[in-house]
Amino acid sequence: MRRSAIIAGVACLSLALVGCSSTTNEAGSGGSDKDVQIVSWWAQGSEKAGLDALEKIFNKEKPECHFVNAAVAGGAGSQAKQKLQADLDAGNPPDSFQAHAGAELSDYISAGQIEDVSPLYDKFKLRDVFPETLIDRLTVDGKIYSIPSNIHRANVVWYNPKVLEEAGLPTDTLPDSVPAWIADMEKIKASGKIPITLGSNWTQTQLLESVLIADLGPDAYNGLWDGKTAWDSTEVTKALEDFQKIVKLAQIDSSADWEPTLDYVMNGKAAYNVMGDWAVAAFNEAKKVDGVDYKWAPVPGSKGVFDFLADSFTKPKGLKNAKCAEEWLDVIGSAAGQGEFNKIKGSIPARTDVDMSEFPAYQQAAAQDFKQDTIVASLSHGAAAPLAVSSAINDAVVKFTQGQGDDLAGFQKDLVNATKSLK
Ligand code: GAL
């Protein structure tokens, strides 16, 4: 091994807490006028493959710019967001960074850290190619602060049909309610397999939001974010009781990111994993066959509801290379960029004019659902609530699961406190 590689490896080790990718070194290398530094959390595995596709198109279409990958590993931005916040607060922004469309952007907007990019919507002719509902979610006081690259769905269960079969369960459809699904989990447990796996805080919150959507229905779920549904109501208590039952049946590894917990389903040790549809990219990368090695369905009880989130890219104030940052945003919003990226990433294009015929079957179905389902905003992926609220909910969830899911009343009280700032 070359000495520089060894040194980089040591630096990576010491940076382990904030994540590290081989290219973070490139980001710190001083750079040239062409460099455009892009922060995301697509640092490894199937997620990096998606970013690589974007980089390839960017390099080809914008030869006057040089993509510098400043990705920070950690699913759902669990590490990237902290590092980014420190850089923004220190007045050292990247040229563009990944952020969830919706409520999570409000943190950066109110801190005055990102620019209104609505002039770019006109320049790149984006207003007519994104769904109106998405533009509405992105618009704050008439301004738009990011350009979406994709749309993901969070309320999906990925399951291993062989494990269900061994437990004597049907494999073509899942039950249509959470209680019936829990009954199936009991059967799986009795067959000697793990019913469901959970990982770090946000994966647990993602399960919680899916159960809330399924049990409350989309209207009452939406009400959780604008004060119309009380967090201390009995309907929420009922949903939390279901969540509690699942937690008690789950194998939980709070230190694991999403891919290792999905692996249990892939290798036939567990039946179910609730995960956003970036999971399909991991199955594809492992060469698993949809419908044979794995199947998927909306979380039981939430059929017809699409728990939406979108990744988007921003133009930070005080960035170094405005010209190439705009070129990057041009590629992010373009039909070619969205086509190549989303095929690999498991998501669907945010644009409505991308040809879906060459997309894998999963995304074709997701695109169809997105058109006809009721759309709700994901909590764990920044669409429903500001970062301070989702972080406080994460803390409440982990406290509950670390206490073996025993203190339901305490959990509900913590959730009430976590969401106090919402109108
Ligand atoms: C989400 C993000 C997805 C995917 C996932 C896992 O927050 O929107 O694109 O990266 O995290 O890391």
Side-chain angles (χ1 to χ4, degrees):
M1 194 190 289
R2 284 190 305 133
R3 193 177 135 74
S4 57
I6 295 170
I7 291 171
V10 172
C12 267
L13 270 183
S14 60
L15 277 172
L17 277 178
V18 292
C20 188
S21 72
S22 59
T23 42
T24 6
N25 295 323
E26 197 190 345
S29 67
S32 76
D33 295 352
K34 293 174 76 179
D35 285 356
V36 57
Q37 195 182 354
I38 309 296
V39 168
S40 75
W41 52 87
W42 299 326
Q44 57 202 17
S46 53
E47 309 206 286
K48 182 170 184 302
L51 183 64
D52 288 348
L54 277 174
E55 179 180 355
K56 209 166 145 199
I57 295 187
F58 181 70
N59 286 342
K60 193 170 133 222
E61 289 186 3
K62 312 288 182 186
E64 69 281 19
C65 301
H66 173 236
F67 177 91
V68 179
N69 187 346
V72 179
S78 48
Q79 310 298 329
K81 287 179 199 164
Q82 291 171 30
K83 161 95 170 60
L84 177 69
Q85 200 54 61
D87 285 348
L88 292 175
D89 293 345
N92 184 27
D95 294 304
S96 183
F97 63 85
Q98 175 187 1
H100 289 122
E104 205 169 279
L105 274 178
S106 63
D107 298 308
Y108 304 113
I109 298 169
S110 50
Q113 289 168 326
I114 51 178
E115 291 200 15
D116 172 18
V117 292
S118 45
L120 296 182
Y121 274 68
D122 299 320
K123 187 172 171 193
F124 303 150
K125 303 198 173 38
L126 297 178
R127 290 193 191 271
D128 297 336
V129 294
F130 290 130
E132 214 177 302
T133 48
L134 180 56
I135 300 258
D136 283 353
R137 283 174 196 274
L138 287 165
T139 305
V140 181
D141 297 333
K143 298 176 177 158
I144 312 180
Y145 290 87
S146 68
I147 297 189
S149 50
N150 60 318
I151 289 170
H152 271 303
R153 183 180 196 174
N155 60 325
V156 189
V157 191
W158 306 90
Y159 63 97
N160 187 312
K162 292 186 192 93
V163 175
L164 267 60
E165 207 174 359
E166 280 164 26
L169 295 168
T171 61
D172 282 345
T173 52
L174 296 188
D176 59 6
S177 71
V178 176
W181 187 37
I182 293 171
D184 283 2
M185 287 189 207
E186 302 277 8
K187 289 186 187 147
I188 288 157
K189 189 177 173 195
S191 80
K193 291 280 165 80
I194 301 163
I196 184 165
T197 54
L198 282 171
S200 61
N201 55 8
W202 66 269
T203 72
Q204 301 177 26
T205 299
Q206 191 178 251
L207 173 68
L208 172 67
E209 83 187 60
S210 292
V211 171
L212 287 167
I213 293 167
D215 283 0
L216 299 177
D219 290 344
Y221 171 81
N222 287 339
L224 292 170
W225 315 119
D226 63 12
K228 290 201 184 103
T229 303
W231 278 88
D232 57 3
S233 61
T234 46
E235 54 178 342
V236 171
T237 311
K238 273 198 180 137
L240 297 183
E241 281 166 4
D242 277 346
F243 179 69
Q244 178 182 44
K245 286 181 189 141
I246 300 176
V247 162
K248 287 187 175 287
L249 285 159
Q251 170 178 285
I252 306 179
D253 178 355
S254 303
S255 63
D257 212 330
W258 65 273
E259 282 186 292
T261 61
L262 188 70
D263 283 349
Y264 283 93
V265 174
M266 258 194 223
N267 61 29
K269 291 191 175 141
Y272 308 111
N273 183 248
V274 171
M275 188 45 58
D277 51 13
W278 43 92
V280 82
F283 282 115
N284 288 341
E285 201 177 51
K287 307 256 181 293
K288 300 290 180 190
V289 180
D290 188 351
V292 179
D293 300 318
Y294 70 96
K295 290 191 171 193
W296 56 272
V299 168
S302 72
K303 196 163 176 234
V305 184
F306 194 110
D307 184 20
F308 137 100
L309 64 123
D311 296 300
S312 68
F313 282 84
T314 58
K315 188 174 168 202
K317 286 203 176 136
L319 81 180
K320 296 184 190 62
N321 191 344
K323 186 179 171 303
C324 287
E326 288 189 9
E327 299 293 15
W328 167 251
L329 293 175
D330 185 15
V331 170
I332 286 296
S334 70
Q338 301 226 335
E340 290 313 303
F341 171 67
N342 286 296
K343 258 179 230 159
I344 297 177
K345 185 66 170 56
S347 36
I348 56 173
R351 288 179 72 114
T352 50
D353 61 347
V354 177
D355 177 13
M356 294 299 294
S357 63
E358 284 178 17
F359 273 68
Y362 172 77
Q363 280 106 308
Q364 293 195 13
Q368 203 50 40
D369 286 350
F370 187 69
K371 270 191 219 142
Q372 67 202 26
D373 283 3
T374 304
I375 311 294
V376 299
S378 165
L379 163 65
S380 50
H381 303 284
L387 208 48
V389 172
S390 54
S391 305
I393 293 179
N394 277 346
D395 292 346
V397 172
V398 168
K399 185 176 152 199
F400 177 63
T401 59
Q402 281 180 348
Q404 316 307 319
D406 288 337
D407 184 10
L408 195 75
F411 180 38
Q412 190 159 10
K413 229 181 254 164
D414 287 343
L415 291 174
V416 169
N417 286 330
T419 52
K420 257 194 185 134
S421 61
L422 297 170
K423 271 178 265 145

